[in-house]
Amino acid sequence: MDWHKPVGAVLNYFGLEDVTLIGISLGSLLALRAAAWEKRIKRVVAWSIMENFYDVLLSSRPKALRVVLDSLIKAHAKGAVNSLAKAMMEKEPYAAWGIEQGKYVFGQPSAYDFLAEAKKYNLCSLSGQITQDVLLLGAAEDHFIPLSMYKNEIDCLTKVKSLTFRLFTKEESAESHCNIGNMPLALNTVCSWITAMETPGL
């Protein structure tokens, strides 16, 4: 979660003082969190933005299930959460993959531990410390990040130097998560934005 530490180590090693940091998917959240602490980052590209990783993980679930699961996690009901997760995993291959992948990536022994850890990955708690130029890239039909969540991230970024938001659409063949389908368009957008930020007035 303290992504500014490895980022800072890289900047120290190469002696860099003015960089653009690009984060993709969950990396977009990590990049913005790094920028909150590491001011040698002057520009941030948040590609397939998310404000709250835990909310994204549960966004496709029925509201009633989200409420129950959230209550169980807050109550530290580890056994109940793991039992509920096990039932979901046995029924849905997508849920099984997501939970196993999450446990592996986050180094957590159970579904409960993974979800509890995911709750720590949010943006608004640090939003006032992000003061750089920011480019947010979204996808109109992202299967992972609901379109409604984009507003949450935009509303959090109240102290940024500048904020640019680009939503890619089906008509551009870039409506999917991370704009798979038309990566050149997304990359060109990123490059054009970086150039504009580095050379103001052009």
PDB file of all heavy atoms in Angstrom, residues 2-30:
ATOM      1  N   ASP A   2       2.031   1.193   0.657  1.00  0.00           N
ATOM      2  CA  ASP A   2       2.957   2.336   0.685  1.00  0.00           C
ATOM      3  C   ASP A   2       3.780   2.360  -0.599  1.00  0.00           C
ATOM      4  O   ASP A   2       5.004   2.186  -0.584  1.00  0.00           O
ATOM      5  CB  ASP A   2       3.862   2.239   1.910  1.00  0.00           C
ATOM      6  CG  ASP A   2       3.095   2.385   3.205  1.00  0.00           C
ATOM      7  OD1 ASP A   2       2.057   3.058   3.202  1.00  0.00           O
ATOM      8  OD2 ASP A   2       3.528   1.812   4.225  1.00  0.00           O
ATOM      9  N   TRP A   3       3.102   2.581  -1.711  1.00  0.00           N
ATOM     10  CA  TRP A   3       3.732   2.467  -3.015  1.00  0.00           C
ATOM     11  C   TRP A   3       4.791   3.538  -3.258  1.00  0.00           C
ATOM     12  O   TRP A   3       5.644   3.403  -4.129  1.00  0.00           O
ATOM     13  CB  TRP A   3       2.657   2.515  -4.111  1.00  0.00           C
ATOM     14  CG  TRP A   3       3.062   1.843  -5.377  1.00  0.00           C
ATOM     15  CD1 TRP A   3       3.224   2.428  -6.608  1.00  0.00           C
ATOM     16  CD2 TRP A   3       3.355   0.451  -5.581  1.00  0.00           C
ATOM     17  NE1 TRP A   3       3.607   1.503  -7.548  1.00  0.00           N
ATOM     18  CE2 TRP A   3       3.692   0.267  -6.929  1.00  0.00           C
ATOM     19  CE3 TRP A   3       3.364  -0.656  -4.731  1.00  0.00           C
ATOM     20  CZ2 TRP A   3       4.030  -0.971  -7.457  1.00  0.00           C
ATOM     21  CZ3 TRP A   3       3.699  -1.885  -5.258  1.00  0.00           C
ATOM     22  CH2 TRP A   3       4.022  -2.029  -6.610  1.00  0.00           C
ATOM     23  N   HIS A   4       4.753   4.614  -2.472  1.00  0.00           N
ATOM     24  CA  HIS A   4       5.754   5.666  -2.629  1.00  0.00           C
ATOM     25  C   HIS A   4       7.151   5.173  -2.248  1.00  0.00           C
ATOM     26  O   HIS A   4       8.145   5.729  -2.719  1.00  0.00           O
ATOM     27  CB  HIS A   4       5.391   6.878  -1.772  1.00  0.00           C
ATOM     28  CG  HIS A   4       5.307   6.584  -0.308  1.00  0.00           C
ATOM     29  ND1 HIS A   4       4.239   5.922   0.251  1.00  0.00           N
ATOM     30  CD2 HIS A   4       6.168   6.854   0.719  1.00  0.00           C
ATOM     31  CE1 HIS A   4       4.431   5.810   1.551  1.00  0.00           C
ATOM     32  NE2 HIS A   4       5.588   6.347   1.858  1.00  0.00           N
ATOM     33  N   LYS A   5       7.225   4.125  -1.450  1.00  0.00           N
ATOM     34  CA  LYS A   5       8.537   3.634  -1.014  1.00  0.00           C
ATOM     35  C   LYS A   5       9.302   2.963  -2.149  1.00  0.00           C
ATOM     36  O   LYS A   5      10.454   3.343  -2.424  1.00  0.00           O
ATOM     37  CB  LYS A   5       8.374   2.709   0.188  1.00  0.00           C
ATOM     38  CG  LYS A   5       7.867   3.428   1.428  1.00  0.00           C
ATOM     39  CD  LYS A   5       7.710   2.492   2.607  1.00  0.00           C
ATOM     40  CE  LYS A   5       7.220   3.243   3.844  1.00  0.00           C
ATOM     41  NZ  LYS A   5       7.031   2.351   5.008  1.00  0.00           N
ATOM     42  N   PRO A   6       8.725   1.978  -2.870  1.00  0.00           N
ATOM     43  CA  PRO A   6       9.464   1.422  -4.005  1.00  0.00           C
ATOM     44  C   PRO A   6       9.649   2.433  -5.132  1.00  0.00           C
ATOM     45  O   PRO A   6      10.693   2.438  -5.804  1.00  0.00           O
ATOM     46  CB  PRO A   6       8.606   0.234  -4.448  1.00  0.00           C
ATOM     47  CG  PRO A   6       7.254   0.469  -3.894  1.00  0.00           C
ATOM     48  CD  PRO A   6       7.477   1.216  -2.611  1.00  0.00           C
ATOM     49  N   VAL A   7       8.640   3.295  -5.335  1.00  0.00           N
ATOM     50  CA  VAL A   7       8.781   4.330  -6.364  1.00  0.00           C
ATOM     51  C   VAL A   7       9.940   5.256  -5.999  1.00  0.00           C
ATOM     52  O   VAL A   7      10.784   5.586  -6.845  1.00  0.00           O
ATOM     53  CB  VAL A   7       7.473   5.129  -6.525  1.00  0.00           C
ATOM     54  CG1 VAL A   7       7.702   6.354  -7.414  1.00  0.00           C
ATOM     55  CG2 VAL A   7       6.375   4.255  -7.120  1.00  0.00           C
ATOM     56  N   GLY A   8       9.991   5.662  -4.745  1.00  0.00           N
ATOM     57  CA  GLY A   8      11.080   6.534  -4.300  1.00  0.00           C
ATOM     58  C   GLY A   8      12.440   5.886  -4.450  1.00  0.00           C
ATOM     59  O   GLY A   8      13.424   6.548  -4.802  1.00  0.00           O
ATOM     60  N   ALA A   9      12.508   4.580  -4.196  1.00  0.00           N
ATOM     61  CA  ALA A   9      13.781   3.867  -4.348  1.00  0.00           C
ATOM     62  C   ALA A   9      14.253   3.895  -5.794  1.00  0.00           C
ATOM     63  O   ALA A   9      15.455   4.069  -6.065  1.00  0.00           O
ATOM     64  CB  ALA A   9      13.629   2.428  -3.866  1.00  0.00           C
ATOM     65  N   VAL A  10      13.327   3.735  -6.735  1.00  0.00           N
ATOM     66  CA  VAL A  10      13.675   3.793  -8.164  1.00  0.00           C
ATOM     67  C   VAL A  10      14.150   5.198  -8.532  1.00  0.00           C
ATOM     68  O   VAL A  10      15.156   5.372  -9.236  1.00  0.00           O
ATOM     69  CB  VAL A  10      12.477   3.368  -9.028  1.00  0.00           C
ATOM     70  CG1 VAL A  10      12.775   3.619 -10.508  1.00  0.00           C
ATOM     71  CG2 VAL A  10      12.134   1.906  -8.803  1.00  0.00           C
ATOM     72  N   LEU A  11      13.443   6.214  -8.057  1.00  0.00           N
ATOM     73  CA  LEU A  11      13.826   7.594  -8.364  1.00  0.00           C
ATOM     74  C   LEU A  11      15.195   7.918  -7.776  1.00  0.00           C
ATOM     75  O   LEU A  11      16.011   8.591  -8.418  1.00  0.00           O
ATOM     76  CB  LEU A  11      12.778   8.565  -7.823  1.00  0.00           C
ATOM     77  CG  LEU A  11      11.359   8.421  -8.368  1.00  0.00           C
ATOM     78  CD1 LEU A  11      10.451   9.516  -7.812  1.00  0.00           C
ATOM     79  CD2 LEU A  11      11.338   8.447  -9.890  1.00  0.00           C
ATOM     80  N   ASN A  12      15.453   7.416  -6.584  1.00  0.00           N
ATOM     81  CA  ASN A  12      16.767   7.634  -5.968  1.00  0.00           C
ATOM     82  C   ASN A  12      17.874   6.974  -6.780  1.00  0.00           C
ATOM     83  O   ASN A  12      18.935   7.567  -7.019  1.00  0.00           O
ATOM     84  CB  ASN A  12      16.781   7.062  -4.542  1.00  0.00           C
ATOM     85  CG  ASN A  12      15.920   7.857  -3.582  1.00  0.00           C
ATOM     86  OD1 ASN A  12      15.603   9.016  -3.828  1.00  0.00           O
ATOM     87  ND2 ASN A  12      15.535   7.231  -2.485  1.00  0.00           N
ATOM     88  N   TYR A  13      17.630   5.749  -7.206  1.00  0.00           N
ATOM     89  CA  TYR A  13      18.651   4.987  -7.925  1.00  0.00           C
ATOM     90  C   TYR A  13      19.044   5.679  -9.231  1.00  0.00           C
ATOM     91  O   TYR A  13      20.226   5.754  -9.584  1.00  0.00           O
ATOM     92  CB  TYR A  13      18.145   3.578  -8.210  1.00  0.00           C
ATOM     93  CG  TYR A  13      19.163   2.702  -8.902  1.00  0.00           C
ATOM     94  CD1 TYR A  13      20.149   2.046  -8.166  1.00  0.00           C
ATOM     95  CD2 TYR A  13      19.139   2.539 -10.288  1.00  0.00           C
ATOM     96  CE1 TYR A  13      21.088   1.253  -8.807  1.00  0.00           C
ATOM     97  CE2 TYR A  13      20.083   1.748 -10.930  1.00  0.00           C
ATOM     98  CZ  TYR A  13      21.054   1.108 -10.185  1.00  0.00           C
ATOM     99  OH  TYR A  13      21.981   0.330 -10.813  1.00  0.00           O
ATOM    100  N   PHE A  14      18.033   6.191  -9.937  1.00  0.00           N
ATOM    101  CA  PHE A  14      18.310   6.830 -11.236  1.00  0.00           C
ATOM    102  C   PHE A  14      18.506   8.340 -11.116  1.00  0.00           C
ATOM    103  O   PHE A  14      18.749   9.007 -12.123  1.00  0.00           O
ATOM    104  CB  PHE A  14      17.186   6.527 -12.220  1.00  0.00           C
ATOM    105  CG  PHE A  14      17.168   5.095 -12.688  1.00  0.00           C
ATOM    106  CD1 PHE A  14      16.247   4.193 -12.181  1.00  0.00           C
ATOM    107  CD2 PHE A  14      18.083   4.645 -13.628  1.00  0.00           C
ATOM    108  CE1 PHE A  14      16.224   2.870 -12.603  1.00  0.00           C
ATOM    109  CE2 PHE A  14      18.072   3.325 -14.058  1.00  0.00           C
ATOM    110  CZ  PHE A  14      17.144   2.433 -13.543  1.00  0.00           C
ATOM    111  N   GLY A  15      18.383   8.889  -9.935  1.00  0.00           N
ATOM    112  CA  GLY A  15      18.584  10.320  -9.740  1.00  0.00           C
ATOM    113  C   GLY A  15      17.548  11.169 -10.447  1.00  0.00           C
ATOM    114  O   GLY A  15      17.875  12.227 -11.001  1.00  0.00           O
ATOM    115  N   LEU A  16      16.296  10.755 -10.427  1.00  0.00           N
ATOM    116  CA  LEU A  16      15.233  11.442 -11.141  1.00  0.00           C
ATOM    117  C   LEU A  16      14.493  12.418 -10.230  1.00  0.00           C
ATOM    118  O   LEU A  16      14.232  12.113  -9.066  1.00  0.00           O
ATOM    119  CB  LEU A  16      14.242  10.425 -11.722  1.00  0.00           C
ATOM    120  CG  LEU A  16      14.846   9.407 -12.695  1.00  0.00           C
ATOM    121  CD1 LEU A  16      13.806   8.374 -13.095  1.00  0.00           C
ATOM    122  CD2 LEU A  16      15.417  10.108 -13.926  1.00  0.00           C
ATOM    123  N   GLU A  17      14.136  13.582 -10.777  1.00  0.00           N
ATOM    124  CA  GLU A  17      13.472  14.610  -9.983  1.00  0.00           C
ATOM    125  C   GLU A  17      12.146  15.077 -10.589  1.00  0.00           C
ATOM    126  O   GLU A  17      11.397  15.791  -9.928  1.00  0.00           O
ATOM    127  CB  GLU A  17      14.398  15.824  -9.829  1.00  0.00           C
ATOM    128  CG  GLU A  17      15.691  15.540  -9.090  1.00  0.00           C
ATOM    129  CD  GLU A  17      15.452  15.210  -7.615  1.00  0.00           C
ATOM    130  OE1 GLU A  17      14.421  15.668  -7.078  1.00  0.00           O
ATOM    131  OE2 GLU A  17      16.292  14.506  -7.024  1.00  0.00           O
ATOM    132  N   ASP A  18      11.879  14.706 -11.825  1.00  0.00           N
ATOM    133  CA  ASP A  18      10.685  15.204 -12.518  1.00  0.00           C
ATOM    134  C   ASP A  18      10.164  14.088 -13.411  1.00  0.00           C
ATOM    135  O   ASP A  18      10.649  13.882 -14.518  1.00  0.00           O
ATOM    136  CB  ASP A  18      11.041  16.447 -13.344  1.00  0.00           C
ATOM    137  CG  ASP A  18       9.828  17.087 -14.010  1.00  0.00           C
ATOM    138  OD1 ASP A  18       8.820  16.389 -14.234  1.00  0.00           O
ATOM    139  OD2 ASP A  18       9.889  18.282 -14.310  1.00  0.00           O
ATOM    140  N   VAL A  19       9.180  13.327 -12.924  1.00  0.00           N
ATOM    141  CA  VAL A  19       8.743  12.144 -13.665  1.00  0.00           C
ATOM    142  C   VAL A  19       7.223  12.108 -13.818  1.00  0.00           C
ATOM    143  O   VAL A  19       6.481  12.748 -13.077  1.00  0.00           O
ATOM    144  CB  VAL A  19       9.194  10.839 -12.964  1.00  0.00           C
ATOM    145  CG1 VAL A  19      10.702  10.800 -12.822  1.00  0.00           C
ATOM    146  CG2 VAL A  19       8.517  10.689 -11.612  1.00  0.00           C
ATOM    147  N   THR A  20       6.807  11.320 -14.803  1.00  0.00           N
ATOM    148  CA  THR A  20       5.404  10.969 -14.986  1.00  0.00           C
ATOM    149  C   THR A  20       5.241   9.518 -14.567  1.00  0.00           C
ATOM    150  O   THR A  20       5.974   8.648 -15.029  1.00  0.00           O
ATOM    151  CB  THR A  20       4.984  11.119 -16.462  1.00  0.00           C
ATOM    152  OG1 THR A  20       5.162  12.469 -16.877  1.00  0.00           O
ATOM    153  CG2 THR A  20       3.513  10.719 -16.649  1.00  0.00           C
ATOM    154  N   LEU A  21       4.302   9.255 -13.676  1.00  0.00           N
ATOM    155  CA  LEU A  21       4.039   7.896 -13.207  1.00  0.00           C
ATOM    156  C   LEU A  21       2.723   7.413 -13.810  1.00  0.00           C
ATOM    157  O   LEU A  21       1.698   8.077 -13.686  1.00  0.00           O
ATOM    158  CB  LEU A  21       3.966   7.862 -11.680  1.00  0.00           C
ATOM    159  CG  LEU A  21       3.831   6.483 -11.034  1.00  0.00           C
ATOM    160  CD1 LEU A  21       5.038   5.608 -11.361  1.00  0.00           C
ATOM    161  CD2 LEU A  21       3.667   6.618  -9.521  1.00  0.00           C
ATOM    162  N   ILE A  22       2.777   6.258 -14.464  1.00  0.00           N
ATOM    163  CA  ILE A  22       1.589   5.686 -15.099  1.00  0.00           C
ATOM    164  C   ILE A  22       1.201   4.418 -14.358  1.00  0.00           C
ATOM    165  O   ILE A  22       2.018   3.508 -14.185  1.00  0.00           O
ATOM    166  CB  ILE A  22       1.852   5.360 -16.587  1.00  0.00           C
ATOM    167  CG1 ILE A  22       2.264   6.627 -17.346  1.00  0.00           C
ATOM    168  CG2 ILE A  22       0.617   4.728 -17.227  1.00  0.00           C
ATOM    169  CD1 ILE A  22       2.672   6.372 -18.790  1.00  0.00           C
ATOM    170  N   GLY A  23      -0.041   4.362 -13.909  1.00  0.00           N
ATOM    171  CA  GLY A  23      -0.560   3.185 -13.238  1.00  0.00           C
ATOM    172  C   GLY A  23      -1.761   2.634 -13.984  1.00  0.00           C
ATOM    173  O   GLY A  23      -2.634   3.402 -14.403  1.00  0.00           O
ATOM    174  N   ILE A  24      -1.795   1.312 -14.162  1.00  0.00           N
ATOM    175  CA  ILE A  24      -2.864   0.671 -14.923  1.00  0.00           C
ATOM    176  C   ILE A  24      -3.677  -0.234 -14.003  1.00  0.00           C
ATOM    177  O   ILE A  24      -3.122  -1.009 -13.231  1.00  0.00           O
ATOM    178  CB  ILE A  24      -2.290  -0.138 -16.101  1.00  0.00           C
ATOM    179  CG1 ILE A  24      -1.496   0.779 -17.038  1.00  0.00           C
ATOM    180  CG2 ILE A  24      -3.399  -0.839 -16.879  1.00  0.00           C
ATOM    181  CD1 ILE A  24      -0.804   0.057 -18.179  1.00  0.00           C
ATOM    182  N   SER A  25      -5.010  -0.148 -14.099  1.00  0.00           N
ATOM    183  CA  SER A  25      -5.940  -0.927 -13.275  1.00  0.00           C
ATOM    184  C   SER A  25      -5.671  -0.620 -11.798  1.00  0.00           C
ATOM    185  O   SER A  25      -5.672   0.556 -11.407  1.00  0.00           O
ATOM    186  CB  SER A  25      -5.822  -2.409 -13.607  1.00  0.00           C
ATOM    187  OG  SER A  25      -6.916  -3.129 -13.067  1.00  0.00           O
ATOM    188  N   LEU A  26      -5.428  -1.628 -10.952  1.00  0.00           N
ATOM    189  CA  LEU A  26      -5.125  -1.335  -9.552  1.00  0.00           C
ATOM    190  C   LEU A  26      -3.906  -0.429  -9.443  1.00  0.00           C
ATOM    191  O   LEU A  26      -3.794   0.373  -8.511  1.00  0.00           O
ATOM    192  CB  LEU A  26      -4.882  -2.639  -8.778  1.00  0.00           C
ATOM    193  CG  LEU A  26      -4.491  -2.503  -7.301  1.00  0.00           C
ATOM    194  CD1 LEU A  26      -5.534  -1.713  -6.518  1.00  0.00           C
ATOM    195  CD2 LEU A  26      -4.260  -3.868  -6.676  1.00  0.00           C
ATOM    196  N   GLY A  27      -3.025  -0.521 -10.427  1.00  0.00           N
ATOM    197  CA  GLY A  27      -1.850   0.353 -10.446  1.00  0.00           C
ATOM    198  C   GLY A  27      -2.203   1.824 -10.503  1.00  0.00           C
ATOM    199  O   GLY A  27      -1.421   2.677 -10.060  1.00  0.00           O
ATOM    200  N   SER A  28      -3.389   2.151 -11.038  1.00  0.00           N
ATOM    201  CA  SER A  28      -3.794   3.555 -11.083  1.00  0.00           C
ATOM    202  C   SER A  28      -3.993   4.098  -9.672  1.00  0.00           C
ATOM    203  O   SER A  28      -3.627   5.237  -9.371  1.00  0.00           O
ATOM    204  CB  SER A  28      -5.080   3.713 -11.904  1.00  0.00           C
ATOM    205  OG  SER A  28      -6.198   3.137 -11.241  1.00  0.00           O
ATOM    206  N   LEU A  29      -4.565   3.280  -8.811  1.00  0.00           N
ATOM    207  CA  LEU A  29      -4.750   3.662  -7.416  1.00  0.00           C
ATOM    208  C   LEU A  29      -3.407   3.762  -6.702  1.00  0.00           C
ATOM    209  O   LEU A  29      -3.145   4.708  -5.950  1.00  0.00           O
ATOM    210  CB  LEU A  29      -5.653   2.646  -6.720  1.00  0.00           C
ATOM    211  CG  LEU A  29      -5.869   2.773  -5.214  1.00  0.00           C
ATOM    212  CD1 LEU A  29      -6.425   4.141  -4.856  1.00  0.00           C
ATOM    213  CD2 LEU A  29      -6.805   1.677  -4.727  1.00  0.00           C
ATOM    214  N   LEU A  30      -2.528   2.796  -6.965  1.00  0.00           N
ATOM    215  CA  LEU A  30      -1.206   2.803  -6.341  1.00  0.00           C
ATOM    216  C   LEU A  30      -0.389   4.013  -6.796  1.00  0.00           C
ATOM    217  O   LEU A  30       0.340   4.616  -5.997  1.00  0.00           O
ATOM    218  CB  LEU A  30      -0.473   1.512  -6.670  1.00  0.00           C
ATOM    219  CG  LEU A  30      -1.114   0.219  -6.150  1.00  0.00           C
ATOM    220  CD1 LEU A  30      -0.314  -0.989  -6.618  1.00  0.00           C
ATOM    221  CD2 LEU A  30      -1.241   0.238  -4.641  1.00  0.00           C
TER     222      LEU A  30
END
